[in-house]
Amino acid sequence: MKIRFHVLMVILLCGIQAISLAQLPRKIELLFLGHHSEHHPSARYLPLLASALATEGINFTYTENPDDLNPGQLAKYDGVMIYANHEQITPSQEKALLDFVAQGKGFIPVHCASFCFQNSPAYIQLVGGQFMQHDTGTFTAAIIQKDHPAMTGVQEFATWDETYIHTKLSNDRTVLIERIAGDHREPWTWVKQHGKGRVFYTAYGHDERTWNNAGFQQLMKAGILWAVGDNVKAQWAAYRKNMPVLVYTDKDNIPNYEKRDPAPRYQEPLSPEASRQLMQVPPGFELELFAAEPDIINPIAMEWDEKGRLWVIETVDYPNTVRDDKGNGDDRIKICEDTDGDGKADKFTIFADHLNIPTSLTFYNGGVIVSQAPHFLFLKDTDGDGKADLQKVLMSGWGTFDTHAGPSNLKYGMDNYIWGSVGYSGFKGSIAGTNREFSQGLYRFKPDLSVFEVLTGTSNNTWGLGFTENNDVFASTANNTHSVFMGIPDKALKGVEGVRINGSIKIDGHYAMHPVTQHVRQVDVFGGFTAATGHNFYNARQYPEAYWNTAFVCEPTGHLVHLAKIEKDGAGFTEKDGWNLLASADEWVSPVEAKTGPDGAVWVLDWYNFIVQHNPTPTPERGGYTAATGKGNAYENPLRDKTHGRIWRIVSREGQRAMPMQLDKKAPSGLLKALHNDNFFWRITAQRLLVERGKTDVLPALYQLVKAPGTDAAGNNFAALHALWTIEGLAPAAKTPATKAVATAALKHPSPGVRKAAIQILATAAWQETTILRSGILQDPDANTRLAAIVSLTAAAPSAALGRTLYQLSLEEAVIEDAWLSKAVYAAAVHHRQGFMTACLQADPDAGKAPLDKKPAEGRPLFEGTTLATVFANTYRNKPIAGTTKPADNTAAITVHLKVKKNEMKYDRKIFTVEAGKPVEIIFENPDFMQHNLVITQPGALEKVGRTADKLAEHPKGVEMSYVPDMPEVLFATKLVDPQHKVKLRFTAPQKPGDYPFVCTFPGHWSIMNGVMKVIAGK
C-alpha cells in the first residue's frame, strides 16, 4: 500500500506540475505563413507588425512553406496567421490546419489570405469567405460591434488599401467592421468559431501604408488576443503586466543618419531580466542568462577549453583607446565557470589583463593564441594558477588604423591550421622572414608559422568565419554580404587569365534582416545587414534536426541573431532566410557572437550597448551633428557604454541536456572516444589534443576509425573524418607512407566528407597522376567532393593525361551547368595547359584563333554564350612568350585625381573638367573605411542611376556587379574599390559637351556622394 501511495503521489504531483506549467505566465506564440511575392511581400510587412507587438509579449515565427501546416509544427503555437497567395493546399495540410483550430487554437487570416488555397472549400469556409475583386482607395471602415472583445481598444482609422469585395460568405460570421461605399456595406472584419477555436479575419493589409498604421496594429493585437482563447490570453495578461516599459529621454550625440523625424531618442538600459522579457527565441526554446555585469563587461569573443570552461575577451578599450606598443590596456581575458551546475557562472578568473583591444582567441598547446593588432600573441599559464605568466609575440603587422577592421575569428581548423579573418585594416609586415601585405579576407597558418596562406579576399569588412561539420568554409562581411562560401583558395587560382574567377562568392539569398523593433540605426544598406558578424554553425544535436548545420549571423544594429539556412547547390551552396534565432525590442541588445557550446546550446555574447556603430563620424549633413574621430577611426561618443555586458544561452526544451565532460591529453582513450561525440566542439577539441600530444601510439586506433565503413542517415562519418585529419596532424602523408596509404584507401569511403578530406590530404603529398585517375575522384557522385578533387589538381605536377581529362570534363553537362565545377576545371587546366590545349585543338584546330565577341558582363555566368574551352584557347593559344610585353599606349590623356574624403562619404572635389572626345584617365583613390566606386552617367541621369543602384542591394549578383546598374545611362565605371586602394579609369570623353554626373553607387551613397564631370568643347 505504501508503494502504491508513493506512486499515486508522484502521479498527482506530475499532474499538478503539468497543470501549473500550462497556466504559467507566458508570451503568445504565432506561426505566420507568408509567401515570396512581389504583390504581397509578407517578409517586408511582418516586421512592421512584429515590432509593434514585441513589447506587448506577442511573438511571430515566419515561414513561407505550407508544409509547416503539420501537427508537430502547429503544436508549438497558439495561433496561425496567414498573409499569402498560395493557391493550393494538400489534404494533409488542410486537415492539420482545421484540426488545429477545432482543438481550440486561433486562426487569423489577413487580407489576401481570403484568396489563398483556392482548391479547398473547407479552408474558404474556415476563413468565412473568399476575395472576389477589388479597387483601391483611402477610406475609414466603420466599427459596428464596438463591444465585442475582439474590438478592445480599437478605433476607426483611415488608410489607403485595396477595397476588397468578398464572395462565398459563410452564415456563421459575426461582422465587426464594415467598409461603407455609398449604399454598399462590405463585411470587412469578422469573427467566427470553428470547433473549440476562433477565427479572426480582416480585409485590411495590402501594403505598408496599412501595416505601419497604428490603428491597424491595434486591431491586429485585439484580434489576436481574442482568437487565441481565454486561457492563453490569461497567461499572456499575467506575463504582460510584468514586462518592462521602455523609457526614452532626450540626449545629444545620437546619430540620425536616416534623417528620421522625430529624431532618435535615448533608451535607458534594462536589467538582464527585464531585457530578457523583450527578447524572442523560437517556440520550444528558452533563453538562460549565464553571466552579466558587473562580472562581464563589453564581451567581444568567446571560446571553451577542454574542460568546458568558457573564456571571454572583455574590451573596454574598444574602439578608440588605442595604446602604443609599450602602453598597458584595460582589456582582459576571463575564465567563467559554473561550479554548482545551476547554469550560471559563479567563478571568474582573470587569465590575462592589461591587454588592448584583443578581438579573438583560440587554444593551442596549453595556451591561447590571441589576435590583438598589431600583434598575434601566445599566452600561457605555466605554473597552474590560472593566470598567464608567459606572453610571446607570434607575428606583427596587423593594421591598427581602424579597430573594427582588424583580425578576428581565430579558430583551430580541421586541417590542424589556425584560421582567421581580417577586415580592411589588413596586414603589412613579415611572417617567418617573408614580407606580406594583404587586405580583407581569410587566412590560415601553422602555429609554428612555418606556413602562412592568404586563402581568399572578401568584398568588405570581414568579421565572420565558420566551418560545416564536413569542413566547408564560410564567411560573412559587415555590409550586405552576410554569407560567403569559399570553394577555391587563392593559390589554386594563381596564373589564371582570360576570366575573372573569384574563389569565394556571396551566397546570401535575401537582403533584409528582420528586427522586432523599428528603433534600428544604420549608416547604409538600410534594412539589410550592415554590421554582420560571425558565421558559426549549429553543429551539435541538442536542437531539432531543422537547425543542424544552420549558421548564425549576428547583426548588432538590428538587435538580432539571424538564422542562415545553408543548402547544397551543386558543388557549392546557397543561403536561405531562416529569420531569427534571437531578436530583441531592447535597443541596447547587440549580439556580436553566437556559437554552439559544449552543452549543445547556442551561446550569445551581448555587447549590450546603445551605441554600436563604429563609423562614419557624424556631420551636420550626415548624422545630424558634428562629432570627432578617435584614434581607432571610430567617432567619439560619450554614450558608448563601458559598464554592461551579457552572455546568454539559447536552450532547446526538446533536447536532452548534455552531461558535463572534460578531456585530457593524458587520457588518449577518452580523446579517441570523443571523436564519436555528436558535438563538433568535442570532436575538434579531441583532435587538437591528440595532435598536440604528438604521440603515434594512437595511430592504429585512428586507422580503424577511418576504415569503418558506416555512415549516418545523411551519409556522414564524422569520427572517420576527424580521425583522418588527426592522422595527418601526427604523421603527415607527405612524410609517412602509412598515412598516404590510409588516405588513398579513404578515397573509396562511403562518406563524401571523408573522401574530400582524403583528397585534401593527398594533395599535399606529391599528388600522383596515376592515383588521381585510378581513384575515380574526378567523377565523384557528390559535387562538392568532386570540386575538391578538381581543385586538388592545381597542386599536382603538370600532366598531359590530366590536361586531357580536364578537357573532357569541360564538355560535361554537369560541369557546364555548375559554376563552381567549371571555375575549378578552368583553374586546373592552367596548371595542365599543354594536355588541355592538345585535346582542345584535336577537337577544333581553329580554337582560339578568332577573338571572343565579348567578355561576360559583371554578374553574368562565367562562360555565357561560349564554352570554357573556347575562352581557354582564346586566352592561352596565342599567349605572348614569357618576358614580352604589349606595346605601350602613348596616347596623351587628361589625368584627373579623385579621392574619397575619409569619414565623410564625399569625393574630394565636386567638379572636374575634360575636353570632348579626348582620352581621360581618372586616378581614383579610396582612403575611407569602406568600399566605394566611381560611376559616370549621362547628363540628368543621377537620380535614376542612383535609385536603380539601391535596388541592386537586394540583387543576388549585386556585389559581383559592383552595384553598377546595367543600363544605357551608365557610361563608365570602376569596380568597387577597397579601403586603402586606388584604381585607374581610362576612357574617351563624350563628344557632346555637357554636365555628366559622377557618383558612388554603393547602396545608399548616391544622394550624397556625387559630383559633375564638365565636358567642354575642344580648343
Side-chain angles (χ1 to χ4, degrees):
M1 289 295 295
K2 188 178 290 186
I3 295 175
R4 289 182 180 178
F5 175 76
H6 284 304
V7 171
L8 180 61
M9 286 298 296
V10 170
I11 293 172
L12 287 172
L13 287 171
C14 290
I16 292 170
Q17 184 180 30
I19 293 171
S20 63
L21 287 172
Q23 299 303 319
L24 284 176
R26 65 177 181 86
K27 297 180 181 181
I28 292 172
E29 298 288 349
L30 298 175
L31 178 67
F32 186 105
L33 176 60
H35 196 180
H36 186 67
S37 164
E38 287 296 322
H39 188 58
H40 292 119
S42 50
R44 190 184 307 163
Y45 299 154
L46 173 59
L48 302 176
L49 180 62
S51 297
L53 301 185
T55 54
E56 298 289 339
I58 298 175
N59 291 355
F60 293 90
T61 297
Y62 183 83
T63 181
E64 294 179 352
N65 187 358
D67 285 340
D68 284 329
L69 300 177
N70 66 75
Q73 186 74 357
L74 291 176
K76 303 174 183 177
Y77 300 98
D78 302 306
V80 171
M81 182 180 291
I82 296 181
Y83 177 80
N85 290 108
H86 300 288
E87 295 183 358
Q88 302 288 314
I89 189 171
T90 67
S92 63
Q93 294 164 357
E94 178 189 75
K95 184 177 187 304
L97 178 60
L98 292 171
D99 290 350
F100 171 78
V101 181
Q103 291 164 6
K105 299 298 182 76
F107 179 48
I108 306 102
V110 178
H111 192 64
C112 52
S114 62
F115 202 55
C116 207
F117 302 140
Q118 300 165 39
N119 66 318
S120 171
Y123 172 81
I124 297 169
Q125 173 66 26
L126 179 66
V127 173
Q130 187 180 56
F131 160 79
M132 181 173 66
Q133 65 187 48
H134 74 78
D135 204 337
T136 62
T138 299
F139 58 90
T140 300
I143 300 174
I144 62 172
Q145 292 270 10
K146 294 184 179 180
D147 295 332
H148 193 281
M151 290 289 100
T152 302
V154 177
Q155 301 292 325
E156 295 177 356
F157 60 94
T159 187
W160 182 99
D161 214 315
E162 292 178 331
T163 53
Y164 270 26
I165 295 177
H166 303 85
T167 185
K168 300 181 182 179
L169 294 168
S170 67
N171 295 322
D172 58 349
R173 295 168 301 110
T174 298
V175 178
L176 306 179
I177 299 177
E178 292 180 336
R179 181 181 57 81
I180 302 172
D183 295 333
H184 180 72
R185 304 178 71 91
E186 181 65 24
W188 198 248
T189 301
W190 62 70
V191 294
K192 64 192 295 288
Q193 296 285 143
H194 178 73
K196 298 178 181 179
R198 297 172 175 177
V199 179
F200 175 91
Y201 168 78
T202 183
Y204 280 120
H206 174 67
D207 65 18
E208 67 277 0
R209 284 168 285 189
T210 293
W211 285 85
N212 222 6
N213 188 304
F216 173 75
Q217 293 166 354
Q218 177 59 35
L219 172 67
M220 295 309 302
K221 174 188 171 183
I224 290 166
L225 293 178
W226 177 83
V228 297
D230 295 338
N231 288 339
V232 173
K233 182 179 178 181
Q235 290 177 273
W236 167 83
Y239 186 91
R240 175 67 185 89
K241 70 180 182 181
N242 293 317
M243 288 186 70
V245 175
L246 295 175
V247 177
Y248 286 89
T249 58
D250 292 320
K251 284 196 177 184
D252 295 332
N253 302 300
I254 301 176
N256 188 10
Y257 297 111
E258 302 92 341
K259 298 183 179 179
R260 290 176 174 166
D261 186 12
R265 304 175 74 205
Y266 179 79
Q267 180 210 301
E268 297 290 343
L270 300 175
S271 69
E273 174 55 27
S275 182
R276 186 186 65 81
Q277 290 180 292
L278 293 180
M279 293 185 187
Q280 298 183 7
V281 294
F285 290 83
E286 294 177 348
L287 193 62
E288 298 182 358
L289 182 69
F290 182 73
E293 69 276 355
D295 298 313
I296 291 293
I297 306 294
N298 295 144
I300 199 170
M302 63 180 166
E303 192 53 87
W304 295 266
D305 63 15
E306 58 265 33
K307 297 178 181 179
R309 301 181 304 175
L310 179 68
W311 295 46
V312 177
I313 293 177
E314 299 175 307
T315 172
V316 295
D317 285 348
Y318 176 87
N320 283 324
T321 308
V322 181
R323 317 284 185 174
D324 58 33
D325 284 348
K326 297 179 181 179
N328 288 329
D330 293 319
D331 297 339
R332 306 183 293 190
I333 298 174
K334 189 175 286 185
I335 305 172
C336 312
E337 298 179 71
D338 170 17
T339 63
D340 58 9
D342 67 350
K344 294 183 179 181
D346 49 56
K347 180 181 178 183
F348 299 89
T349 304
I350 297 174
F351 174 76
D353 55 8
H354 302 305
L355 302 173
N356 182 221
I357 314 185
T359 50
S360 64
L361 63 86
T362 192
F363 292 94
Y364 171 70
N365 201 26
V368 290
I369 298 174
V370 180
S371 59
Q372 178 184 280
H375 310 302
F376 276 14
L377 306 174
F378 179 70
L379 307 178
K380 189 172 184 177
D381 167 23
T382 64
D383 58 12
D385 66 352
K387 298 184 178 182
D389 47 62
L390 171 66
Q391 178 170 312
K392 177 183 177 183
V393 175
L394 294 181
M395 65 179 94
S396 297
W398 299 95
T400 59
F401 82 92
D402 190 305
T403 55
H404 92 315
S408 62
N409 283 280
L410 293 182
K411 298 179 187 294
Y412 188 90
M414 204 177 291
D415 57 358
N416 304 302
Y417 282 67
I418 306 298
W419 290 59
S421 64
V422 66
Y424 54 74
S425 284
F427 180 90
K428 184 176 183 181
S430 176
I431 300 175
T434 301
N435 291 327
R436 299 176 184 274
E437 183 175 358
F438 54 90
S439 188
Q440 59 220 15
L442 306 182
Y443 52 88
R444 66 172 187 162
F445 59 94
K446 287 190 175 182
D448 63 3
L449 301 185
S450 59
V451 177
F452 187 100
E453 179 184 355
V454 177
L455 295 160
T456 191
T458 47
S459 63
N460 63 87
N461 210 5
T462 304
W463 302 334
L465 170 65
F467 309 118
T468 64
E469 293 179 293
N470 275 317
N471 202 27
D472 297 298
V473 181
F474 294 81
S476 66
T477 74
N479 284 70
N480 200 34
T481 303
H482 66 268
S483 192
V484 173
F485 169 58
M486 189 195 83
I488 305 176
D490 279 358
K491 68 179 181 182
L493 300 174
K494 189 176 181 180
V496 171
E497 299 177 20
V499 290
R500 183 186 179 191
I501 295 180
N502 293 318
S504 58
I505 64 169
K506 171 186 171 81
I507 63 167
D508 39 292
H510 61 103
Y511 170 80
M513 62 171 176
H514 309 294
V516 294
T517 174
Q518 294 301 297
H519 295 283
V520 173
R521 284 166 278 126
Q522 294 183 298
V523 177
D524 49 28
V525 194
F526 301 115
F529 290 80
T530 186
T533 173
H535 203 289
N536 294 304
F537 284 82
Y538 186 75
N539 43 30
R541 295 297 181 267
Q542 269 65 40
Y543 279 19
E545 187 173 353
Y547 291 88
W548 299 356
N549 279 296
T550 293
F552 318 118
V553 180
C554 298
E555 180 38 274
T557 68
H559 323 296
L560 58 83
V561 178
H562 170 61
L563 280 174
K565 293 184 176 180
I566 305 299
E567 299 181 356
K568 275 196 168 185
D569 182 17
F573 297 85
T574 189
E575 185 262 3
K576 290 188 177 179
D577 190 355
W579 220 254
N580 300 321
L581 182 67
L582 179 150
S584 179
D586 177 0
E587 221 176 314
W588 281 62
V589 169
S590 307
V592 292
E593 185 166 42
K595 188 178 291 187
T596 308
D599 58 350
V602 174
W603 296 53
V604 178
L605 292 184
D606 181 3
W607 181 253
Y608 204 75
N609 216 305
F610 185 75
I611 299 295
V612 178
Q613 287 165 315
H614 189 91
N615 47 26
T617 299
T619 64
E621 181 183 16
R622 191 162 189 269
Y625 72 102
T626 299
T629 302
K631 290 179 67 175
N633 201 39
Y635 66 90
E636 298 282 3
N637 194 320
L639 299 182
R640 292 191 189 275
D641 183 80
K642 307 290 185 181
T643 62
H644 292 82
R646 286 93 191 260
I647 303 173
W648 299 95
R649 297 166 61 246
I650 303 175
V651 180
S652 170
R653 292 197 295 264
E654 300 177 19
Q656 287 188 341
R657 293 271 175 141
M659 295 298 293
M661 62 181 286
Q662 297 185 15
L663 297 176
D664 191 334
K665 280 185 186 179
K666 298 177 182 179
S669 61
L671 300 179
L672 291 168
K673 182 180 178 181
L675 295 180
H676 293 274
N677 198 284
D678 65 5
N679 188 325
F680 176 83
F681 166 79
W682 291 112
R683 295 196 303 271
I684 194 66
T685 301
Q687 175 187 322
R688 174 177 63 82
L689 294 175
L690 285 166
V691 172
E692 290 175 1
R693 180 174 173 268
K695 296 182 179 180
T696 59
D697 57 338
V698 295
L699 286 176
L702 293 169
Y703 295 157
Q704 292 304 311
L705 285 179
V706 176
K707 293 176 182 178
T711 64
D712 63 17
N716 301 310
N717 186 326
F718 298 133
L721 176 60
H722 285 275
L724 193 54
W725 281 113
T726 304
I727 294 167
E728 171 65 10
L730 289 169
K735 301 177 181 179
T736 313
T739 299
K740 196 169 185 178
V742 169
T744 301
L747 295 173
K748 300 293 186 181
H749 197 280
S751 170
V754 175
R755 295 196 302 272
K756 180 168 69 175
I759 291 165
Q760 292 169 333
I761 288 169
L762 289 169
T764 67
W767 206 203
Q768 298 295 316
E769 166 194 306
T770 52
T771 304
I772 296 168
L773 294 176
R774 289 175 182 173
S775 67
I777 60 167
L778 296 177
Q779 297 294 339
D780 196 283
D782 180 83
N784 181 255
T785 301
R786 193 182 191 193
L787 172 64
I790 297 171
V791 170
S792 77
L793 301 189
T794 63
S799 159
L802 290 177
R804 291 192 298 270
T805 301
L806 286 165
Y807 175 75
Q808 293 301 320
L809 291 180
S810 76
L811 305 178
E812 288 187 20
E813 198 68 25
V815 172
I816 294 170
E817 294 181 355
D818 191 301
W820 281 108
L821 293 181
S822 59
K823 288 194 292 188
V825 167
Y826 192 97
V830 173
H831 293 264
H832 305 280
R833 173 180 166 187
Q834 183 176 357
F836 189 96
M837 282 301 304
T838 298
C840 179
L841 293 176
Q842 286 176 347
D844 179 8
D846 293 326
K849 287 185 177 180
L852 295 174
D853 290 338
K854 62 178 181 178
K855 291 184 178 180
E858 291 290 321
R860 303 297 299 171
L862 201 58
F863 303 109
E864 185 178 50
T866 183
T867 68
L868 185 158
T870 299
V871 175
F872 191 91
N874 185 270
T875 302
Y876 289 101
R877 176 170 182 157
N878 300 312
K879 183 175 170 60
I881 299 171
T884 64
T885 60
K886 291 183 179 180
D889 183 356
N890 294 317
T891 306
I894 300 169
T895 301
V896 177
H897 292 270
L898 191 64
K899 183 186 292 187
V900 177
K901 295 179 75 172
K902 189 175 178 181
N903 285 324
E904 294 189 32
M905 204 168 291
K906 294 179 181 178
Y907 297 108
D908 66 347
R909 56 198 299 183
K910 288 290 289 185
I911 298 173
F912 64 86
T913 303
V914 298
E915 287 189 36
K918 293 293 183 69
V920 179
E921 182 180 76
I922 299 177
I923 300 174
F924 176 49
E925 185 175 354
N926 180 19
D928 200 17
F929 67 93
M930 66 182 303
Q931 290 178 310
H932 297 287
N933 63 11
L934 175 65
V935 177
I936 298 174
T937 79
Q938 294 277 14
L942 173 64
E943 183 172 355
K944 182 177 180 181
V945 171
R947 294 194 181 281
T948 304
D950 282 349
K951 294 179 181 178
L952 288 179
E954 302 186 41
H955 194 287
K957 299 289 186 181
V959 172
E960 292 181 45
M961 297 169 67
S962 290
Y963 300 117
V964 178
D966 184 8
M967 55 194 301
E969 287 82 359
V970 173
L971 298 179
F972 317 107
T974 69
K975 294 181 172 64
L976 286 171
V977 180
D978 291 335
Q980 317 309 311
H981 285 69
K982 62 182 176 182
V983 297
K984 294 180 180 180
L985 178 64
R986 192 179 178 92
F987 58 91
T988 300
Q991 294 288 347
K992 183 178 179 181
D995 290 348
Y996 292 76
F998 62 87
V999 61
C1000 174
T1001 58
F1002 190 98
H1005 292 191
W1006 69 269
S1007 62
I1008 295 174
M1009 197 168 177
N1010 58 64
V1012 173
M1013 178 180 76
K1014 286 188 171 294
V1015 177
I1016 61 174
K1019 297 177 182 178

